[in-house]
Amino acid sequence: MASLSIARSLFFLILSFAVFLHSCHADPDPLQDFCVADLTAQNISVNGFTCKPPSTVTSNDFFFAGLGKEGDTGNIFGLNVTQGSVLNFPGLNTLGVSMNRVDFAPGGINPPHSHPRATELVHVVEGTLLVGFVTTGNVLFSKVVNAGESFVIPKGLIHFQQNVGEGKALSITAFDSQLPGVLIMPVALFASNPSIPNQVLAKAFQVDDQIVKDIKSKFGSS
Ligand code: GLV
Ligand code: MN
């Protein structure tokens, strides 16, 4: 009887471990060579996009030129993120990877944000960035990263980059997800739709309502 209950506990332990290991993966592995996304399909998308019929797939579906062009950094952050996710590069569907191009004006900042579905590898191509992330234990890891150097941001953690060099800066960021998702902290907190009530933010940040209103107005929110 005792050995039966030990065997049962062992079975559930192994089962939980298998479920845990599976949930540690980023995007799931593909079950076919490719599944070029049909972004116009009306079918319900369960986890990724419907595949185009393989007979209609061409080499162009596996090609993306979007990261070759410098982005316009004339905005409050001095930043432009050009996304190379499955949404504009359909050949990535089910392959579990994607890349962004991030352009920085001098002093530009990629404000604190997180990607719920991906680890991020930041590779600096031009200039110098201060890159950092904060752990769930509230520890900041940060480093000044120069052209040719890289820094990794563990999955889901809040991170930022700031151009601390003399001129412009450029980085390429790689993700282990076809659609990493992004929560930009100032925007999520101060410009959500509908808006987070002012008294919630005032209490959370220990400031007056007026300061919350001022910050919201910078993001066109009220
Ligand atoms: C940079 O942090 C990016 O998300 O591309
Ligand atoms: Mn990021």
Side-chain angles (χ1 to χ4, degrees):
M1 206 59 178
S3 65
L4 195 67
S5 94
I6 290 173
R8 197 175 290 147
S9 310
L10 212 59
F11 172 75
F12 281 112
L13 191 71
I14 291 168
L15 193 68
S16 326
F17 190 58
V19 169
F20 169 74
L21 272 185
H22 188 256
S23 66
C24 279
H25 284 185
D27 289 3
D29 283 338
L31 300 179
Q32 64 283 303
D33 281 359
F34 58 79
C35 166
V36 174
D38 180 352
L39 299 173
T40 62
Q42 298 299 309
N43 313 21
I44 295 168
S45 142
V46 177
N47 202 3
F49 294 91
T50 308
C51 312
K52 276 171 75 169
S55 59
T56 67
V57 169
T58 69
S59 301
N60 277 340
D61 287 309
F62 303 104
F63 173 79
F64 181 61
L67 303 189
K69 192 163 159 275
E70 183 172 354
D72 178 5
T73 57
N75 53 59
I76 54 169
F77 294 129
L79 172 81
N80 192 284
V81 179
T82 308
Q83 292 191 6
S85 77
V86 68
L87 295 181
N88 39 24
F89 187 178
L92 295 184
N93 195 36
T94 75
L95 299 184
V97 292
S98 61
M99 278 200 301
N100 287 349
R101 171 191 178 119
V102 192
D103 288 286
F104 299 83
I109 186 171
N110 193 357
H113 65 280
S114 74
H115 306 285
R117 294 184 286 275
T119 289
E120 170 180 328
L121 192 52
V122 182
H123 182 72
V124 180
V125 175
E126 179 190 343
T128 305
L129 295 179
L130 172 65
V131 186
F133 67 85
V134 180
T135 67
T136 55
N138 219 21
V139 178
L140 169 71
F141 289 92
S142 77
K143 184 115 182 116
V144 171
V145 186
N146 293 299
E149 300 173 343
S150 306
F151 197 77
V152 69
I153 313 289
K155 182 175 183 170
L157 298 186
I158 294 178
H159 59 285
F160 61 86
Q161 295 110 17
Q162 183 169 29
N163 180 0
V164 292
E166 298 286 306
K168 297 187 292 193
L170 166 65
S171 68
I172 293 291
T173 47
F175 302 91
D176 60 344
S177 169
Q178 64 178 25
L179 193 58
V182 63
L183 275 165
I184 303 166
M185 298 308 148
V187 178
L189 292 173
F190 294 96
S192 64
N193 184 17
S195 203
I196 298 178
N198 290 357
Q199 83 273 5
V200 172
L201 294 169
K203 183 90 172 167
F205 287 94
Q206 295 289 291
V207 293
D208 292 339
D209 270 26
Q210 190 53 47
I211 295 182
V212 171
K213 285 185 190 146
D214 289 348
I215 299 176
K216 280 187 170 177
S217 71
K218 306 245 185 252
F219 296 102
S221 181
S222 57

